[in-house]
Amino acid sequence: MTALIEVALSWLFKNAKGHDAKSFYMGPAFANLRDKQEIIVTAPDCGPTNSVLGVEYTHDGAGKFPTLRWEAPPHIADQVKEWLLVSEDPDAFLPTPICHGIYTGIPASKTSVEAADFEIQDSTKALLKGGFHYGRSRNGRIYIPPRPLMNHGPHRYFFEVVALKEALDPSLLSATTTREQIGDAIVGKVLGWGMWVGVAERKW
């Protein structure tokens, strides 16, 4: 897509941002938890939540997945059977947030991820080197680095960590499993959640 087309689209859809109401954490599984982030998620290499992502974390650079760490309060941590991680852009001009990546089967003992974890271990099992699985992003890639439209203003990128009290069915640990399928599967299984937000903008 040329810069001119991007800028034209940005102008046409200048008000099509802020689809927070359709974010993953707004689904039925979070009905009683939407305003209660109990999982503390940090990105030590990027700064506090709402920090601007360095170019190395975007499509224009290396497209690295940011290092994330999380911590749950004791009453949640002792019950976690599995973690779930979702990355999405609620400021894209589409009606629903773009899913940049969804990661399932993260062991309860693992409370951090780094870029190397997202390298493929076994594609036939959708298994990554971090010891967890990847589902379907919007374009089918393991992770879609941030690339907001030029001149569309700052886009926020949500990195949502979800604590589950039951492991997902193994049939869902697949590269074709969608954000919506996972959202349906975790109803009644969520102990708590939290997120870190990174910000990216591209200007002409």
Side-chain angles (χ1 to χ4, degrees), residues 148-160:
L149 285 175
M150 282 185 177
N151 289 12
H152 198 235
H155 279 217
R156 295 162 299 151
Y157 294 85
F158 292 173
F159 294 86
E160 300 151 72

Side-chain angles (χ1 to χ4, degrees), residues 104-120:
T104 57
I106 302 174
S109 60
K110 187 174 180 66
T111 55
S112 66
V113 292
E114 56 186 37
D117 288 336
F118 296 87
E119 296 175 10
I120 294 178

Side-chain angles (χ1 to χ4, degrees), residues 120-128 134 142 173-175:
I120 294 178
Q121 177 73 33
D122 186 343
S123 61
T124 65
K125 298 178 181 178
L127 181 64
L128 299 173
Y134 59 93
I142 293 170
L173 306 181
S174 160

Side-chain angles (χ1 to χ4, degrees), residues 70-202:
W70 59 88
E71 182 178 354
H75 73 278
I76 289 177
D78 293 344
Q79 301 179 63
V80 177
K81 294 295 188 291
E82 200 167 87
W83 299 100
L84 169 66
L85 173 59
V86 178
S87 175
E88 58 185 352
D89 172 7
D91 293 319
F93 63 85
L94 300 175
T96 58
I98 287 180
C99 179
H100 281 249
I102 185 161
Y103 311 98
T104 57
I106 302 174
S109 60
K110 187 174 180 66
T111 55
S112 66
V113 292
E114 56 186 37
D117 288 336
F118 296 87
E119 296 175 10
I120 294 178
Q121 177 73 33
D122 186 343
S123 61
T124 65
K125 298 178 181 178
L127 181 64
L128 299 173
K129 289 185 177 179
F132 50 90
H133 301 262
Y134 59 93
R136 181 172 177 77
S137 66
R138 181 168 178 81
N139 66 4
R141 294 181 61 183
I142 293 170
Y143 174 60
I144 306 173
R147 189 188 184 282
L149 285 175
M150 282 185 177
N151 289 12
H152 198 235
H155 279 217
R156 295 162 299 151
Y157 294 85
F158 292 173
F159 294 86
E160 300 151 72
V161 175
V162 184
L164 301 178
K165 61 183 177 183
E166 294 179 31
L168 289 171
D169 187 291
S171 66
L172 292 171
L173 306 181
S174 160
T176 60
T177 301
T178 66
R179 168 185 180 273
E180 290 72 26
Q181 287 175 303
I182 294 298
D184 290 341
I186 65 172
V187 173
K189 299 180 180 180
V190 177
L191 290 165
W193 73 287
M195 73 175 170
W196 181 84
V197 181
V199 178
E201 181 177 10
R202 296 171 68 240

